[in-house]
Amino acid sequence: MQYALMGNATSEYLFLCDFFLVGDQAADDLFHTVMGKSLKILMKTVENYLTYSYDCIGLFICLHIVYRYQDILHKQNIRVLDGYWEVLTGHLWLRFETIFILNLESVKQLNALKAPVTDCRPHYIIRRYAEFSSALTCVNLTWPDDRLQQMLNHLQVEADNLLNRLADQANFKDLPVGVKKNVDNKTKLIFLINNYDLILTTFSQNSTETTSESLAFQELLQTKTNEYVEELLFTFFGPLISFTTECEKLIQQDHQESLKRHLEKIPILTKTFANTWKRSIEQINQEAVTSFSSLKQGSNALQIALTQLIQYYSRFQKVLACPIFAKCPARNDLVSIHHIIVEVKKFKPIY
């Protein structure tokens, strides 16, 4: 309808200019004398339609179609419909903003118990959010509007809050093989990481632009992945990690007596690591690969975990090199860092 109006209005305006030999304001006044009632009828029709429209994406597309129509007429140096377009975009934006706020409030007020989580796969509401947000971002690329970006930033915060509420209220029953059937922090982290990964994947599929939303979710994904890696490593190497971090603090503070009390732990730690580290790496690989819905994300978490393991063991060896531990016979049981690196390379992804 608006496209037909654009064509007919253009023809009518050019005819009036040529036939009555008028231009500028006189031509505009004459055009509105002829077409004024038609424009009012069209505007009334649009207003009636908008009253019953709840299609947020559709409204935003309509808004940008109007921008394009206006741009087409401007290229022909025809501005007689600028007032009409301005009123029309005002109505469209007002309705769009109203529906967007309704969506925002629905996310903000949603009771997590009404959208139960039973496994670590991405939640369907988060998928809808990602598709909704990326669709609006994609449409907004041609004529960027800062108002939309501000609204999407608010929605991003509420979506993240909802995701955390879902994780807190989750009842993880249907978990992958190899993942423990209890709701611990690691399981919640897997759920969050899977959802963040889905959001970023959806964003990247629909737009190549880097938005503030995608940057925020990338940071959240990295943070949660690092937390997951720490939880995962602590499951298999908890005593060694605790010993290393605690002794590093004591060495820094020069607490010699406190360090002596840790001497008896060293033989157990070195022998346990020497006997179990290969098997533990295989178990870490199995858990990381099967826990995530994306093979790429699982491989990424695995590589971070193995890199962090090497760093922890390097720090452990450095702690044992301090004078108070230097003569401990258990140091002979230390595994070579080079040996660990060679083993870790076997788990490097081939893609």
Side-chain angles (χ1 to χ4, degrees), residues 39-50:
L39 294 178
K40 288 181 180 179
I41 292 173
L42 287 173
M43 187 62 70
K44 188 65 177 178
T45 302
V46 172
E47 290 174 359
N48 291 336
Y49 168 77
L50 293 179

Side-chain angles (χ1 to χ4, degrees), residues 46-324:
V46 172
E47 290 174 359
N48 291 336
Y49 168 77
L50 293 179
T51 303
Y52 300 100
S53 175
Y54 290 88
D55 183 0
C56 203
I57 296 175
L59 289 169
F60 198 65
I61 291 174
C62 288
L63 192 63
H64 277 256
I65 289 175
V66 173
Y67 291 155
R68 187 171 293 276
Y69 288 164
Q70 190 173 16
D71 184 60
I72 291 173
L73 292 183
H74 284 178
K75 289 179 180 178
Q76 300 178 41
N77 200 28
I78 298 174
R79 300 180 178 273
V80 70
L81 286 178
D82 281 1
Y84 174 82
W85 296 136
E86 184 177 349
V87 174
L88 182 57
T89 54
H91 288 320
L92 286 168
W93 180 265
L94 182 61
R95 185 60 181 172
F96 166 76
E97 189 174 33
T98 300
I99 304 305
F100 189 98
I101 292 174
L102 289 176
N103 280 291
L104 178 65
E105 289 299 317
S106 69
V107 173
K108 185 176 182 179
Q109 298 176 11
L110 178 65
N111 184 348
L113 294 176
K114 293 184 178 180
V117 175
T118 59
D119 57 41
C120 294
R121 291 176 295 180
H123 198 274
Y124 70 93
I125 293 179
I126 300 302
R127 183 183 297 275
R128 290 178 183 176
Y129 155 73
E131 292 171 348
F132 175 79
S133 181
S134 61
L136 292 177
T137 299
C138 186
V139 175
N140 196 48
L141 292 177
T142 309
W143 280 278
D145 193 323
D146 291 338
R147 293 176 297 176
L148 175 70
Q149 192 56 58
Q150 292 175 4
M151 295 163 70
L152 289 176
N153 289 342
H154 289 308
L155 183 59
Q156 177 258 316
V157 172
E158 294 304 333
D160 185 44
N161 290 339
L162 171 61
L163 188 53
N164 281 279
R165 294 201 304 273
L166 290 170
D168 291 337
Q169 298 292 336
N171 180 20
F172 296 106
K173 297 182 295 184
D174 306 322
L175 298 179
V177 176
V179 179
K180 294 181 179 179
K181 307 292 184 179
N182 61 329
V183 185
D184 56 7
N185 189 51
K186 186 166 62 175
T187 308
K188 292 180 181 179
L189 288 171
I190 293 171
F191 173 72
L192 292 172
I193 290 169
N194 280 335
N195 280 275
Y196 290 143
D197 182 57
L198 168 73
I199 292 171
L200 290 170
T201 300
T202 305
F203 284 177
S204 64
Q205 288 174 345
N206 293 325
S207 174
T208 57
E209 293 289 322
T210 301
T211 64
S212 56
E213 299 166 270
S214 60
L215 290 175
F217 280 118
Q218 284 173 5
E219 185 176 347
L220 287 168
L221 176 62
Q222 188 61 49
T223 300
K224 296 304 178 183
T225 301
N226 290 338
E227 290 180 21
Y228 167 77
V229 165
E230 291 296 327
E231 293 270 356
L232 183 61
L233 289 177
F234 201 83
T235 302
F236 296 95
F237 304 103
L240 184 144
I241 293 172
S242 298
F243 174 88
T244 302
T245 53
E246 187 175 345
C247 286
E248 283 176 336
K249 294 178 182 178
L250 294 174
I251 291 172
Q252 188 176 11
Q253 297 168 0
D254 197 26
H255 287 177
Q256 298 295 322
E257 293 301 320
S258 298
L259 283 170
K260 288 179 181 179
R261 290 197 291 269
H262 288 76
L263 270 169
E264 60 184 21
K265 299 179 183 178
I266 296 176
I268 299 174
L269 291 173
T270 54
K271 185 173 293 186
T272 301
F273 184 86
N275 292 334
T276 64
W277 70 275
K278 285 188 178 181
R279 184 170 66 254
S280 295
I281 287 179
E282 292 175 355
Q283 291 174 332
I284 288 173
N285 172 65
Q286 178 67 19
E287 182 167 338
V289 170
T290 58
S291 294
F292 299 101
S293 54
S294 164
L295 179 60
K296 181 179 178 181
Q297 180 56 40
S299 298
N300 179 53
L302 173 63
Q303 295 308 307
I304 295 174
L306 296 179
T307 301
Q308 188 70 358
L309 171 61
I310 293 173
Q311 292 176 355
Y312 271 128
Y313 198 68
S314 178
R315 288 163 57 187
F316 176 67
Q317 290 186 339
K318 187 176 180 181
V319 166
L320 296 191
C322 76
I324 201 166

